Amino acid sequence: VFLTSVALAISAYKLGKQKVLVQELYCIETLARTDTLCLDKTGTLTTGRFEVTMVESTGIPASDLLSVLLSVERKSTHPVAQAVVRYAEKQDSVPMEITDMRELAGHGVEAIVNGRQVLVGNIRLLAERDIPVPKELSDSVSTVVVSTIDGKYAGHLLLSDTLKKDAVDAIRRLKDLDVKDIRLLSGDKQEIVNQFAERLGVDKAYGNLLPEDKAAYIERLTAETDKLVAFVGDGMNDAPVLALSDVGIAMGGLGSDAAIESADVVIQTDQPSKVAEAISIGRATRNIVRQNIVGSIGVKVIVLVAGAFGFATLWEAVFADVGVSLLAVLNSIRILKR
Ligand code: ADP
Ligand code: MG
């Protein structure tokens, strides 16, 4: 047990230097056994730094629409909201006072702006309130933000997100590590998720998932007993999913406190390739732990047998034990040399 702890502690130190923090030492062992990896898209594989590419208002001037959107979205921390704020501020929009702001996870925001009820969010949000949206928006491969004022359609924005440079590398390294089952889970539209999945070389992509759908999905997957499921998320709405997976991995930057608390592993950079790095270090650790166990049991058996035949004194036995511990510690230090 002591020798295993030494190896795990050294491994945790090594992971820490790589900006990967494990909440408990046993998480290193679970990382090593991961065979199914589910990844969130926005903020995890994409930069989450959306750019507004088009604005179209309906029934009101575009500047008024932007001012309403700015008022609402500056109260939200969602990457989509932040992009809307950046854009509106660049257009010199002026925010108004708002009351009763409510964030609707996986949907958008609802608020009262100057006494008028405003909805800002995705197509699903309006669909659930039976408010029709222009048909062409549903087929768009851009992220769409739609808005209503007092229940009337007021216009939309198109936004684009970009794949992190590191994301393609991350997936390739995971495949090299023989993590065969890689899936994308996202609250975004299926068309967009498919497009990103294709560019990443991932063949399982699931879109239109609300945070609770993701949780149910992971719960089902982990219930298939032979699978060890890791979930990687940026912590925006996905704290429950991180908690339900066998290994919850939170990516730094955008991560919320709730997400970090629910996670088993926290990556302090925004590089998804650190997931592959962590799994790889986890596996190396597991191999070294096995070598240490086999080695120390081996030597004890030899000393025992030798003792039984009168070839080993008590002092030689003690010396063998200490020597083996020393060798095991030195062997564990090899983790740092990777
Ligand atoms: P993902 O799984 O892609 O990380 P989320 O569950 O965080 O997605 O959000 C799903 C979708 O809900 C977003 O793609 C966006 O369209 C919409 N959304 C959420 N919050 C907001 C907001 N504050 N403003 C506009 N749209 C939002
Ligand atoms: Mg997200």
Side-chain angles (χ1 to χ4, degrees), residues 182-221:
I182 303 175
R183 311 178 184 204
L184 287 196
L185 306 185
S186 177
D188 224 335
K189 284 186 299 184
Q190 188 66 49
E191 289 81 1
I192 302 177
V193 187
N194 287 346
Q195 188 204 325
F196 277 107
E198 199 172 311
R199 283 161 61 191
L200 288 166
V202 172
D203 50 12
K204 293 176 183 156
Y206 306 91
N208 296 316
L209 297 175
L210 292 173
E212 58 264 36
D213 297 333
K214 287 186 195 171
Y217 187 93
I218 293 290
E219 215 169 8
R220 226 175 328 120
L221 206 56

Side-chain angles (χ1 to χ4, degrees), residues 168-187:
V168 179
D169 191 40
I171 302 295
R172 195 177 40 76
R173 287 186 59 188
L174 286 164
K175 286 184 176 170
D176 286 347
L177 285 171
D178 219 30
V179 179
K180 288 205 189 66
D181 200 341
I182 303 175
R183 311 178 184 204
L184 287 196
L185 306 185
S186 177

